[in-house]
């Protein structure tokens, strides 16, 4: 496992949206999940995660609900709204385009 | 839905800040606990696990703050904070706050007041349907910029019948109708309106119905909503009641919608009666007379028709009418002039333009004046705020050091400015009510509702915001430029805003010079009008209407009555002279005819219009008008058998007899029998004090009985006017106590009425000019105090090096003079350039009148000198040791 990669600007939103697309998760679980799925390559800093969550909520793409965790503690669970789902699709599409384009350039060289 | 949610969220975060903050804290603590648990699971000791977790998570407070930023709560919260802070700071320096709010209130109030009147006079739309489609008809000589004049009924009918571009043409009379309520003969003032008037305007009834074309000549009346409330208490039973108009009964058929008071701003109508009913009131109806222009016409454009097209279409009808009726003009000059008249249409949505034409210009000038006053107030405030900002540099430095951003500082100062402007605006609205009442008191014939309505409030809010930007922004930017460290260290020397202050001072001097020069111009103009020799005596002359016709006198008996009355008056002590006349000067009534003079061959098309008055023996003496040659009328000229004689004025004598004697020559006026000139009198003002003398002839009013039997009596009091009035009453009682006398009016009052606009301009520009001087004085004083304080060290060094106190005094005064000089150098040409716009309002002097300008310059220099004296003296008293030790 190398050093964690810095997130590309603007991709955190996409990661969060994608991570909670299946089921509502709290902040800790979102951070963990991103770490796990990326095989520890992506580390989300708390300092950026929570402001991002609050911004997304403000924009109406996610909504939050307090609920019990597996261990019985109360935590704030974030889930995707309808607008959030379409936003995710948009960002996904543009990400795919971007990474494909970068790949093309990189492989050419 | 989404937006609503978001708003709800933001409000929740704003007002239930505590609970939101708690939630945020709980959320972050949960995260922290999870981290600690993870660390524990990996085998750390509890204390170490906790520390490691805290290290990983970083500053919790920062995250919280950032989350709050994300919710965009901070913007609003900061504003609320600034607002509270601003109120606290302002309350902490009540002196500054009071001065600031008061000067803003004066500036904003004056602007609001003038605007509210201007709005009522020139901007407000009539409360009718689609006012934008309405057009007003004007007739006038080509090339005249202010068309005016009424229309005759036959012309109106022709325009109405033959128009193809208008959806309708309606008429309203310009002569007033009076309604009697109880004993009050003129409790209501109304007008005739054509049958289609209400339908054309789209005015609906508030009760009953409006009269219409189909009502024909029935004596009906529609009363206004205000009149209905005032006189009938809004009782529905008013409909169907009888309204006594000019002594005859009219049936009230309805009440017009609230807010509608006719189409003449400044002359609200209490009722309208059908114009077709006019013959019911007038024994000799004006309806068939093409020479009687007593009607105003409005029309509504068909959709898609431009004003120009309608004007072209109706212009043809108008010309056709002129051609068909020009036969009534007797001489070729007037016939030509009649035929050359043109018809113009202008937008009529704001009502008939008479009041606008009369007062728009003075109001424009006043708007400019009060605008300048507000600008002065803003500059003063900017100055004060700048000084405060300078003395608060340390405070701002501390705030900047504690992490306040540039924009936080700006927004805080702007909030203070906004608070000041808001308070000033509120107080200003109160002040405006008083000022607009004062303004309207100068327009006694104008009944205007210049209340503070929505548009006026919008204007006030706009100028408040503008003022706030103007005086707040500069200081705010300055303050925001504060660097934390140097400002914490530095004391009082140096500072970048000295130049800005100099600019402020120069512009204040220039602005107030313009205002003071304007005030001087207007008061000199008024002085000129009040002191010019009008060719008659203004003081101690009383006018009173006498109407023996009402007591049954006519023909020879009428003449005998007047002669007896005159004889009695001559013997009455307290009366120096007395005479009668049909017209009085500066009354607004005019009588003219075309003259043909024996032995004078006029050029073709020459203007031989002669102004007329018919007077009795004694009139010249009573009025103090000089007889230059020949004789006054006497008893032997009275009666229809006496040879016809007349007097002419100097201008007429000069025009027709250049050098030769006019005495004994014969003059024919209009279709009157020829009369012989027996005397020449001095020129006297006829219509207005501003006019150059008209050619005027005086007929003898006792030679042929006047058609209605009534005349105006002029008496010149030997001592007091009250004694003279008592004498007149005694005299008429001894001749015939059944002959009614009207009310006594001093001639001076009648003349003054024509000067109301000049008085208005002189008073208000004087008022605002003084205000401007005061503000400039405060401004100059403030700037100098500041500059002297800034230079204390320098002055101390100068004095330590041997400079005398008088030298320091001169230094400060010289500097002041330089700045004031620059201000004057800017102000004088600006004043000359600007006052040219007011030239038409001035009398007897040019806008660049050197006296007015020098007076203004001298006044400003004096004021600046006074304002500079205290700071200069303070500078000269600086103790060199103290000044140097301070650093």
């Amino acid at each position: 496992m190398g050093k964690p990669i810095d997130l590309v600007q603007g991709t955190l939103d996409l990661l969060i949206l994608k991570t909670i697309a299946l089921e509502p998760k709290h902040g800790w679980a979102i951070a963990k999940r991103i770490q796990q799925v990326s095989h520890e390559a992506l580390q989300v800093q708390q300092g950026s995660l929570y402001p991002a969550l609050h911004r997304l909520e403000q924009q109406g793409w996610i909504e939050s609900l307090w609920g019990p965790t597996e261990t019985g503690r109360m935590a704030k669970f974030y889930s995707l709204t309808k607008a959030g789902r379409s936003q995710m699709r948009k960002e996904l599409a543009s990400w795919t385009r971007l990474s494909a384009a970068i790949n093309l350039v990189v492989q050419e060289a | 839905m989404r937006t609503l949610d978001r708003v709800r969220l933001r409000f929740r975060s704003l007002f239930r800040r505590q609970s939101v903050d708690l939630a945020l804290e709980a959320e972050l603590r949960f995260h922290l606990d999870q981290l600690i648990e993870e660390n524990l699971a990996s085998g750390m000791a509890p204390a170490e696990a906790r520390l490691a977790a805290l290290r990983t998570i970083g500053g919790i407070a920062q995250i919280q703050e950032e989350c709050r930023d994300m919710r965009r709560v901070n913007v609003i919260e900061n504003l609320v904070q600034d607002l509270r802070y601003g109120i606290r700071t302002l309350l902490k320096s009540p002196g500054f706050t009071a001065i600031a709010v008061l000067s803003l209130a004066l500036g904003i109030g004056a602007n609001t007041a003038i605007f509210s009147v201007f709005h009522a006079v020139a901007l407000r739309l009539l409360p009718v349907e689609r006012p934008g489609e309405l057009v007003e008809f004007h007739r006038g000589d080509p090339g005249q910029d202010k068309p005016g004049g009424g229309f005759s009924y036959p012309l109106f009918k022709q325009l109405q019948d033959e128009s193809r571009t208008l959806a309708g043409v309606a008429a309203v009379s310009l002569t007033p109708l009076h309604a009697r309520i109880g004993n009050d003969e003129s409790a209501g003032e109304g007008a005739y309106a054509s049958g289609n008037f209400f339908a054309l305007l789209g005015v609906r009834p508030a009760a009953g119905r409006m009269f219409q074309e189909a009502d024909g000549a029935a004596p009906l009346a529609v009363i206004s909503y205000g009149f209905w409330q005032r006189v009938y208490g809004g009782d529905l039973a008013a409909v169907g009641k009888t309204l006594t108009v000019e002594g005859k009964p009219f049936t009230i058929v309805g009440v017009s919608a609230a807010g509608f008071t006719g189409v003449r701003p400044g002359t609200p109508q209490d009722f309208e009666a059908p114009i077709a009913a006019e013959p019911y009131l007038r024994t000799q109806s004006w309806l068939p007379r093409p020479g009687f222009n007593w009607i105003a016409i409005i029309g509504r454009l068909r959709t898609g028709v431009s004003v120009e097209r309608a004007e072209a279409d109706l212009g043809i009808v108008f010309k056709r009418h002129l051609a068909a009726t020009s036969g009534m003009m007797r001489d070729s000059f007037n016939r030509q002039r009649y035929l050359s008249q043109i018809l113009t249409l202008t937008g009529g949505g704001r009502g008939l333009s008479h009041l606008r034409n009369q007062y728009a210009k003075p109001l424009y000038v006043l708007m400019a004046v009060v605008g300048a006053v507000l600008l002065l107030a803003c500059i003063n405030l900017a100055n004060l705020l700048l000084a405060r900002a300078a003395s608060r540099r340390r405070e701002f430095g501390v705030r900047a050091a504690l992490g306040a951003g540039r924009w936080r500082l700006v927004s805080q100062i702007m909030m203070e400015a906004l608070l000041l402007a808001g308070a000033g605006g509120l107080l200003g609205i109160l002040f405006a009510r008083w000022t607009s009442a004062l303004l309207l008191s100068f327009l006694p014939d104008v009944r205007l509702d210049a209340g503070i309505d929505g548009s006026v409030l919008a204007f006030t809010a706009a100028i408040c915001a503008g003022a706030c930007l103007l005086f707040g922004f500069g200081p705010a930017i300055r303050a925001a430029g504060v660097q934390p460290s140097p400002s914490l260290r530095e004391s009082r020397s140096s500072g970048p805003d000295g130049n800005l202050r100099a600019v402020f001072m120069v512009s204040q001097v220039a602005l107030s010079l313009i205002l003071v020069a304007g005030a001087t111009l207007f008061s000199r103009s008024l002085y000129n009008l009040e002191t010019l020799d009008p060719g008659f005596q203004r003081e101690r002359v009383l006018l009173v209407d006498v109407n023996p016709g009402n007591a049954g006198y006519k023909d020879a008996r009428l003449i005998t009555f007047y002669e007896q009355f005159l004889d009695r008056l001559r013997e009455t002590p307290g009366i120096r002279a007395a005479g009668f006349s049909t017209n009085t000067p500066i009354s607004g009534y005019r009588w003219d005819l075309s003259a043909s003079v024996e032995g004078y061959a006029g050029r073709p098309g020459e203007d031989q219009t002669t102004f007329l008055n018919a007077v009795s023996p004694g009139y010249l003496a009573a009025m103090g008008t000089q007889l230059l040659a020949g004789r006054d009328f006497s008893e032997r000229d009275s009666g229809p058998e006496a040879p016809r004689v007349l007097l002419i004025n100097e201008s007429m004598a000069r025009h027709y007899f250049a050098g030769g004697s006019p005495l004994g020559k014969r003059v024919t006026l209009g279709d009157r029998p020829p009369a012989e000139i027996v005397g020449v009198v001095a020129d006297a003002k006829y219509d207005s004090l501003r006019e150059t003398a008209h050619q005027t002839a005086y007929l003898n009013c006792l030679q042929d009985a006047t058609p209605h039997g009534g005349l105006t009596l002029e008496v010149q009091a030997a001592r007091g006017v009250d004694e003279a009035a008592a004498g007149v009453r005694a005299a008429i009682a001894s001749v015939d106590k059944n002959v009614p006398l009207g009310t006594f009016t001093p001639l001076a009052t009648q003349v003054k009425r024509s000067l109301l606009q000049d008085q208005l301009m002189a008073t208000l520009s004087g008022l605002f000019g003084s205000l401007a001087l005061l503000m400039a004085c405060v401004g100059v004083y403030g700037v100098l105090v500041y500059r002297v304080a800034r230079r204390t060290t320098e002055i101390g060094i100068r004095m330590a090096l041997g400079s005398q106190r008088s030298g320091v005094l001169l230094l400060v005064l010289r500097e002041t003079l330089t700045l004031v000089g620059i201000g004057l150098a800017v102000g004088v040409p600006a004043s000359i350039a600007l006052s040219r716009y007011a030239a038409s309002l001035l009398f007897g002097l040019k806008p660049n009148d050197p006296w007015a300008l020098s007076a203004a310059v001298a006044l400003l220099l004096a004021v600046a000198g006074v304002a500079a004296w205290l700071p200069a003296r303070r500078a000269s008293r600086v103790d060199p040791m103290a000044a140097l030790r301070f650093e």
Side-chain angles (χ1 to χ4, degrees):
Chain A
M1 182 186 88
K3 255 181 87 179
I5 307 167
D6 281 339
L7 280 177
V8 180
Q9 193 82 44
T11 48
L12 179 58
D13 286 5
L14 175 58
L15 292 182
I16 293 173
L17 294 176
K18 181 74 187 163
T19 308
I20 59 172
L22 280 181
E23 50 168 2
K25 285 188 176 59
H26 47 74
W28 170 260
I30 295 171
K32 278 286 141 199
R33 175 86 184 150
I34 292 176
Q35 218 169 322
Q36 251 170 35
V37 173
S38 70
H39 302 295
E40 311 285 322
L42 298 176
Q43 291 261 4
V44 183
Q45 297 298 317
Q46 292 76 10
S48 13
L49 175 66
Y50 285 97
L53 285 171
H54 284 257
R55 188 182 64 245
L56 292 174
E57 188 178 7
Q58 192 65 43
Q59 273 160 336
W61 292 335
I62 61 179
E63 53 197 0
S64 64
L65 207 69
W66 284 87
T69 64
E70 315 85 79
T71 56
R73 283 195 56 173
M74 293 301 281
K76 201 172 172 192
F77 284 80
Y78 292 93
S79 58
L80 219 51
T81 63
K82 219 169 151 192
R85 206 164 283 281
S86 76
Q87 176 66 21
M88 184 185 73
R89 274 196 288 274
K90 255 186 268 170
E91 290 200 13
L92 211 53
S94 81
W95 170 255
T96 316
R97 266 208 318 280
L98 178 69
S99 53
I102 291 178
N103 270 336
L104 278 178
V105 175
V106 175
Q107 281 159 7
E108 180 72 19
Chain B
M1 189 58 210
R2 275 286 120 219
T3 339
L4 255 178
D5 271 358
R6 222 173 303 170
V7 168
R8 186 182 52 80
L9 244 162
R10 205 165 298 176
F11 267 91
R12 202 188 63 166
S13 11
L14 185 61
F15 292 110
R16 294 175 49 213
R17 181 178 164 182
Q18 256 180 340
S19 77
V20 170
D21 279 355
L22 282 179
L24 186 55
E25 213 185 309
E27 189 179 12
L28 291 175
R29 194 175 327 112
F30 172 73
H31 192 100
L32 184 68
D33 290 348
Q34 293 293 37
L35 260 179
I36 296 173
E37 251 170 62
E38 200 180 55
N39 288 348
L40 283 174
S42 71
M44 288 188 195
E48 196 191 342
R50 189 176 168 72
L51 270 177
L54 281 172
R55 251 197 317 277
T56 320
I57 206 164
I60 289 200
Q62 265 98 321
I63 298 180
Q64 278 180 336
E65 194 64 15
E66 236 175 294
C67 287
R68 289 157 47 69
D69 270 345
M70 286 306 160
R71 292 189 176 276
R72 267 170 271 159
V73 173
N74 278 356
V75 177
I76 304 172
E77 224 173 66
N78 287 348
L79 282 182
V80 173
Q81 222 177 49
D82 286 346
L83 186 71
R84 283 218 213 98
Y85 188 75
I87 293 176
R88 272 214 315 273
T89 342
L90 289 178
L91 288 183
K92 251 194 291 180
S93 38
F96 163 79
T97 309
I99 290 182
V101 169
L102 204 66
S103 57
L104 273 176
L106 288 177
I108 293 173
N111 276 277
T112 304
I114 307 284
F115 179 78
S116 71
V117 175
F118 181 72
H119 176 247
V121 166
L123 299 179
R124 192 155 54 199
L125 289 174
L126 295 175
V128 301
E129 262 174 33
R130 300 185 303 284
E133 291 175 358
L134 295 179
V135 287
E136 178 185 0
F137 285 52
H138 310 269
R139 73 194 298 173
D141 300 330
Q144 218 183 359
D145 58 336
K146 260 188 205 164
F151 293 80
S152 68
Y153 189 73
L155 176 50
F156 159 64
K157 276 316 244 185
Q158 193 165 354
L159 288 167
Q160 190 179 38
D161 293 344
E162 296 175 23
S163 142
R164 285 168 300 134
T165 42
L166 295 183
V169 178
V172 59
S173 70
L174 294 168
T175 46
L177 287 174
H178 299 98
R180 184 177 71 208
I181 303 292
N183 286 329
D184 190 350
E185 287 288 347
S186 51
E189 199 177 297
Y192 295 109
S194 58
N196 63 343
F197 181 70
F198 295 111
L200 178 108
L201 292 174
V203 175
R204 291 178 204 296
R209 66 177 183 88
M210 307 309 232
F211 61 71
Q212 52 207 25
E213 209 74 81
D215 288 313
L220 306 177
V222 166
I223 59 176
S224 78
Y225 190 87
F227 189 70
W228 185 43
Q229 296 294 329
R230 199 167 73 233
V231 176
Y232 301 97
D235 187 0
L236 282 173
V239 175
K241 280 200 173 148
T242 297
L243 185 70
T244 309
V245 178
E246 307 288 348
K248 296 233 177 126
F250 280 68
T251 308
I252 298 175
V253 287
V255 178
S256 57
F260 181 80
T261 52
V263 291
R264 296 170 66 191
T267 317
Q269 307 292 348
D270 295 320
F271 64 92
E272 274 91 11
I275 202 164
E278 186 257 5
Y280 171 62
L281 283 184
R282 262 191 210 121
T283 35
Q284 284 187 313
S285 172
W286 290 1
L287 292 187
R289 309 283 296 260
F292 281 47
N293 297 315
W294 57 293
I295 286 172
I297 305 182
I298 46 173
R300 188 181 281 282
L301 293 170
R302 273 188 208 287
T303 21
V305 173
S306 68
V307 174
E308 291 73 26
R309 228 185 92 202
E311 195 173 276
D313 164 40
L314 290 156
I316 297 167
V317 181
F318 180 69
K319 284 290 184 194
R320 203 158 30 194
H321 177 87
L322 293 185
T325 51
S326 70
M328 66 184 172
M329 309 310 284
R330 284 176 197 282
D331 64 298
S332 69
F333 172 79
N334 282 313
R335 197 175 311 120
Q336 276 316 312
R337 199 168 148 182
Y338 183 73
L339 284 171
S340 74
Q341 284 185 338
I342 49 166
L343 179 80
T344 44
L345 301 186
T346 58
R350 294 170 297 167
L352 302 184
S353 57
H354 177 73
L355 192 73
R356 276 202 295 286
N357 292 340
Q358 199 176 4
Y359 288 109
K361 182 120 195 193
L363 285 171
Y364 272 131
V365 172
L366 284 177
M367 292 274 285
V369 166
V370 292
V373 168
L374 183 60
L375 198 57
L376 271 169
C378 285
I379 294 178
N380 262 352
L381 265 186
N383 234 330
L384 281 172
L385 278 178
L386 212 55
R388 269 166 66 83
S391 64
R392 283 165 69 185
R393 280 171 82 80
R394 282 163 167 278
E395 177 201 330
F396 292 133
V398 171
R399 290 165 59 87
L402 289 180
R406 211 182 150 83
W407 286 109
R408 262 329 278 287
L409 290 182
V410 170
S411 98
Q412 193 209 321
I413 297 198
M414 287 311 287
M415 185 55 83
E416 273 173 44
L418 200 64
L419 277 170
L420 288 175
L426 287 179
L427 203 61
I429 288 175
L430 293 181
F431 175 62
R433 299 173 71 98
W434 177 79
T435 315
S436 60
L438 173 75
L439 183 67
L440 289 178
S441 73
F442 282 102
L443 320 172
D445 295 337
V446 177
R447 286 193 284 151
L448 265 186
D449 172 21
I452 313 272
D453 61 5
S455 9
V456 176
L457 276 183
F459 172 82
T460 309
I463 58 172
C464 278
C468 168
L469 275 181
L470 215 56
F471 68 75
F473 206 61
I477 290 295
R478 271 291 146 82
V482 166
Q483 295 299 316
S485 47
S487 65
L488 286 178
R489 246 184 285 124
E490 80 169 332
S491 55
R492 56 179 168 165
S493 58
S494 73
D497 33 45
N499 289 333
L500 190 55
R501 285 158 176 279
V503 171
F504 280 171
M505 183 164 146
V506 166
S507 37
Q508 280 194 314
V509 168
L511 269 178
S512 41
L513 177 82
I514 295 171
L515 293 191
V516 171
T520 338
L521 283 175
F522 284 121
S523 43
R524 264 179 61 83
S525 161
L526 178 63
Y527 175 82
N528 287 345
L529 286 164
E530 277 175 342
T531 52
L532 70 82
D533 175 16
F536 54 81
Q537 184 164 345
R538 300 188 202 208
E539 301 303 323
R540 285 190 293 120
V541 176
L542 280 179
L543 310 177
V544 59
D545 289 340
V546 189
N547 203 337
N550 284 359
Y553 286 94
K554 52 184 181 194
D555 305 333
R557 281 190 60 227
L558 191 61
I559 293 167
T560 317
F561 168 83
Y562 281 122
E563 284 182 331
Q564 279 177 352
F565 191 14
L566 262 188
D567 284 341
R568 208 57 54 83
L569 286 167
R570 279 196 199 103
E571 297 154 9
T572 309
I575 291 177
R576 179 170 292 158
F580 297 101
S581 67
T582 50
N583 290 40
T584 58
I586 329 290
S587 62
Y589 290 98
R590 174 165 139 177
W591 176 21
D592 59 59
L593 286 171
S594 188
S596 71
V597 176
E598 179 190 11
Y600 181 86
R603 286 167 281 115
E606 181 182 336
D607 182 5
Q608 303 200 359
T609 305
T610 304
F611 281 58
L612 293 177
N613 193 358
V615 306
S616 76
Y619 170 86
L620 295 177
M623 295 297 286
T625 301
Q626 271 189 320
L627 183 68
L628 300 176
R631 63 171 179 88
D632 187 8
F633 295 132
S634 69
E635 286 78 24
R636 63 197 149 94
D637 301 319
S638 297
E641 287 80 32
R644 304 207 154 242
V645 290
L646 56 71
L647 308 170
I648 62 174
N649 72 351
E650 229 181 321
S651 294
M652 186 165 175
R654 206 179 310 121
H655 182 85
Y656 291 103
F657 304 101
S661 170
L663 299 180
K665 298 285 187 343
R666 295 170 78 79
V667 176
T668 310
L669 292 160
D671 51 357
R672 299 174 67 85
E676 183 188 325
I677 300 171
V678 293
V680 178
V681 304
D683 285 343
K685 303 289 181 188
Y686 191 102
D687 242 354
S688 119
L689 289 181
R690 290 180 138 87
E691 74 195 9
T692 47
H694 294 289
Q695 295 171 32
T696 309
Y698 296 86
L699 310 171
N700 187 336
C701 66
L702 300 186
Q703 199 143 44
D704 41 13
T706 51
H708 39 78
L711 290 174
T712 305
L713 168 68
E714 289 87 10
V715 290
Q716 190 184 127
R719 291 174 292 270
V721 286
D722 291 338
E723 186 192 4
V728 171
R729 278 193 207 98
I732 199 160
S734 72
V735 178
D736 184 345
K737 52 179 175 297
N738 293 325
V739 175
L741 278 183
T743 47
F744 287 87
T745 313
L747 178 57
T749 309
Q750 179 162 315
V751 174
K752 273 215 175 91
R753 284 173 76 83
S754 77
L755 297 182
L756 279 168
Q757 185 182 309
D758 303 276
Q759 270 176 335
L760 168 79
M761 295 311 287
T763 312
L764 288 188
S765 69
L767 195 74
F768 295 129
S770 321
L771 202 59
L773 264 186
L774 188 71
M775 287 187 180
C777 187
V778 171
V780 169
Y781 173 79
V783 170
L784 287 178
V785 164
Y786 178 80
R787 285 174 83 91
V788 165
R790 269 283 156 89
R791 295 174 63 181
T792 307
T793 327
E794 180 206 326
I795 293 170
I797 294 174
R798 279 170 185 269
M799 293 182 83
L801 292 179
S803 185
Q804 295 296 307
R805 290 196 185 285
S806 58
V808 172
L809 201 70
L810 275 179
L811 177 82
V812 175
L813 287 180
R814 198 165 51 223
E815 200 186 85
T816 314
L817 222 60
T818 315
L819 287 179
V820 172
I822 299 174
L824 295 178
V826 176
V828 168
S831 160
I832 293 176
L834 286 175
S835 51
R836 204 171 309 146
Y837 290 103
S840 65
L841 301 175
L842 297 176
F843 178 80
L845 73 171
K846 295 224 167 61
N848 57 357
D849 182 59
W851 288 108
L853 272 174
S854 346
V857 167
L859 202 56
L860 262 163
L861 279 176
V863 165
V866 169
W869 183 250
L870 271 180
R873 221 177 47 153
R874 191 179 302 167
S876 74
R877 300 242 164 115
V878 163
D879 175 3
M881 284 315 289
L884 291 175
R885 214 179 291 132
F886 197 87
E887 282 296 287

